[in-house]
Amino acid sequence: DGNERRHVYRVVRKRFPIPQEAKTGYAVHDSGRDKARAREIVIAFEVDAKTGLPAPSRHPLYTFLPTQYFPPLKFSVQGDFILDTARSRVDEGLEWNRRLCRFIGDLLTYSIEGFQGDDGSHVRGFKEDELARYHFYRLLPSKSDFQAGAEADFIQRHFVEMFWKYCRDNQVVITAEGK
């Protein structure tokens, strides 16, 4: 149609060590993941191409390719999840997948606070970014993102609840006074 759209993302990635207890189960063994030492989690926050400010948007869960599962998050997630054969659901019974969800929470926390990247360089967190520090909260999962009364989503049970605890225990959102 001649209308070109440009998407810009702030991409944060980190490798996490896989503990032995996450390497159990037929699907983990059958896929060869039981030999894995570490896996990379990637989260991508869409930003407005003109202003550079966070622009929340929903995306499918990626396991190297997009899946049919759209977690109620305002950013993209890429991880080595084990899915059902239709690529529509994460296999919730596997400790492997539950561990990857916890890694998403860790990486989201690091993306706020800043961290040392896999190459040893410092990766700036949102709090350290002069432009995004007052606006990144729009990308964080909130209770309104999840349907009230509905069965808790896999992502909510294994990542979001833990992340909300982090937010309650830490000063996450910076005010105009810089606090």
Side-chain angles (χ1 to χ4, degrees):
D1 66 358
N3 293 329
E4 186 175 292
R5 290 186 53 180
R6 181 174 173 223
H7 295 273
V8 178
Y9 293 87
R10 179 177 181 159
V11 178
V12 182
R13 58 178 19 128
K14 185 157 180 61
R15 292 177 60 79
F16 292 92
I18 302 293
Q20 199 59 39
E21 61 269 16
K23 299 179 185 182
T24 59
Y26 175 77
V28 176
H29 177 71
D30 189 50
S31 66
R33 290 176 174 95
D34 57 335
K35 296 172 185 65
R37 291 193 176 128
R39 280 297 186 258
E40 182 178 64
I41 296 292
V42 179
I43 54 180
F45 304 95
E46 190 164 2
V47 295
D48 184 282
K50 292 180 181 145
T51 65
L53 294 175
S57 58
R58 283 194 65 200
H59 300 274
L61 177 73
Y62 291 86
T63 57
F64 305 104
L65 295 170
T67 67
Q68 295 175 16
Y69 172 52
F70 280 77
L73 300 173
K74 300 170 191 166
F75 51 86
S76 296
V77 175
Q78 154 58 44
D80 189 17
F81 290 93
I82 298 175
L83 305 172
D84 65 9
T85 55
R87 293 187 56 81
S88 60
R89 300 206 43 93
V90 173
D91 187 336
E92 298 182 27
L94 295 173
E95 177 59 27
W96 176 273
N97 287 336
R98 291 190 294 273
R99 184 64 59 153
L100 292 181
C101 270
R102 289 193 285 277
F103 294 158
I104 296 168
D106 292 343
L107 187 55
L108 183 56
T109 300
Y110 298 157
S111 71
I112 293 169
E113 302 291 343
F115 65 100
Q116 183 174 348
D118 294 328
D119 64 357
S121 65
H122 178 71
V123 177
R124 287 179 20 164
F126 281 114
K127 284 183 172 181
E128 301 168 299
D129 185 303
E130 286 299 318
L131 186 60
R133 69 187 311 175
Y134 302 110
H135 303 278
F136 76 88
Y137 69 89
R138 295 187 294 174
L139 299 171
L140 302 180
S142 66
K143 293 193 188 270
S144 65
D145 297 329
F146 298 90
Q147 295 177 357
E151 180 183 333
D153 180 89
F154 176 73
I155 292 283
Q156 181 180 1
R157 286 194 315 273
H158 297 288
F159 146 59
V160 174
E161 297 289 344
M162 175 186 74
F163 179 73
W164 287 338
K165 181 182 179 334
Y166 158 77
C167 290
R168 285 189 300 272
D169 295 344
N170 296 277
Q171 295 179 354
V172 175
V173 177
I174 298 174
T175 65
E177 290 84 37
K179 297 178 183 178

